[in-house]
Amino acid sequence: MIISRAIGPVPVDIIEKETLESTLKVTKLPVEFGADITDHAYREPRRIVLEGVIGGSLTRSSAGRVEAVAGWQALKQLQESRIPFTLISGLDVHQNILIEKLTADRDKDWSRVLKFTAECTEIIIVSSAYVNGVGQNAPAGGQAKGMSSSKLASGEAALKGSPDVIRGDTASSVASTSATTATGRSNSSILADVLGI
């Protein structure tokens, strides 16, 4: 069994519930007499809905609140970055995932931690098509992959397509909060503002 307590690079204390949805779309063509004709089927993007909690415990008010605020900000930044990430659920490893909807539930029972719902969707990345033009030879495989961005941006080639843009999983690194560097002092100051320290 695969177990992970993270949504992309964001650690999660508890996953209360996960819902995985995989749908196959069967196309139908109505005819005058008889049943609909089915000539094609395709898989729709998979959806994963996670209900989780970020924050130490219900009794540690200040520590739980700091973790809740930091967790909410991290989830929002991951969503707004629009960079696909890998999500490990209890049943599968999901590639090229984006957070489509993020909801936080706040009430008297959940005031010291972050109780959230993240609705995630798989994105399907395809290559751009390329058509032969006057004075241009299509690269092997009929794709624009082999062409440089300067060649694609000029003249007739610009109308034909562009190479794949796949950011994939970006490597995350720990932000410096060292007081000896300008970047560290700036990060430390921002973190203190966000957390109200």
Side-chain angles (χ1 to χ4, degrees):
M1 182 175 181
I2 302 169
I3 298 174
S4 175
R5 291 190 174 188
I7 297 177
V10 181
V12 177
D13 292 309
I14 300 169
I15 296 291
E16 290 185 315
K17 181 180 177 182
E18 65 180 34
T19 305
L20 311 179
E21 181 182 301
S22 182
T23 305
L24 187 70
K25 182 73 173 179
V26 179
T27 62
K28 296 179 181 177
L29 178 65
V31 293
E32 190 172 350
F33 296 104
D36 293 346
I37 296 171
T38 300
D39 63 349
H40 182 59
Y42 61 92
R43 183 180 63 79
E44 292 185 337
R46 292 190 174 101
R47 291 184 44 78
I48 305 103
V49 179
L50 300 172
E51 294 178 19
V53 176
I54 296 177
S57 72
L58 295 173
T59 58
R60 294 186 310 158
S61 61
S62 60
R65 182 184 175 280
V66 168
E67 291 173 8
V69 171
W72 176 249
Q73 296 302 323
L75 287 172
K76 281 197 321 180
Q77 287 178 4
L78 179 63
Q79 180 188 38
E80 292 167 5
S81 73
R82 301 183 306 276
I83 297 174
F85 59 90
T86 298
L87 176 67
I88 301 174
S89 70
L91 298 175
D92 208 346
V93 177
H94 309 276
Q95 302 286 339
N96 295 324
I97 301 296
L98 291 177
I99 299 175
E100 190 171 7
K101 185 177 181 182
L102 198 54
T103 308
D105 295 327
R106 306 287 286 170
D107 60 23
K108 62 181 178 57
D109 297 324
W110 299 99
S111 62
R112 296 186 180 110
V113 295
L114 171 65
K115 184 177 188 301
F116 69 93
T117 302
E119 296 180 23
C120 304
T121 303
E122 173 191 29
I123 60 167
I124 299 173
I125 302 171
V126 297
S127 299
S128 300
Y130 182 91
V131 179
N132 256 338
V134 179
Q136 303 265 349
N137 292 322
Q143 302 297 319
K145 271 182 161 178
M147 299 181 71
S148 68
S149 58
S150 60
K151 186 174 182 183
L152 284 167
S154 63
E156 190 180 344
L159 301 173
K160 296 174 183 159
S162 61
D164 294 350
V165 179
I166 302 176
R167 294 180 183 174
D169 292 319
T170 57
S172 58
S173 60
V174 177
S176 171
T177 56
S178 169
T180 59
T181 65
T183 304
R185 286 191 297 274
S186 175
N187 288 342
S188 180
S189 173
I190 291 169
L191 186 60
D193 289 343
V194 169
L195 300 178
I197 300 173

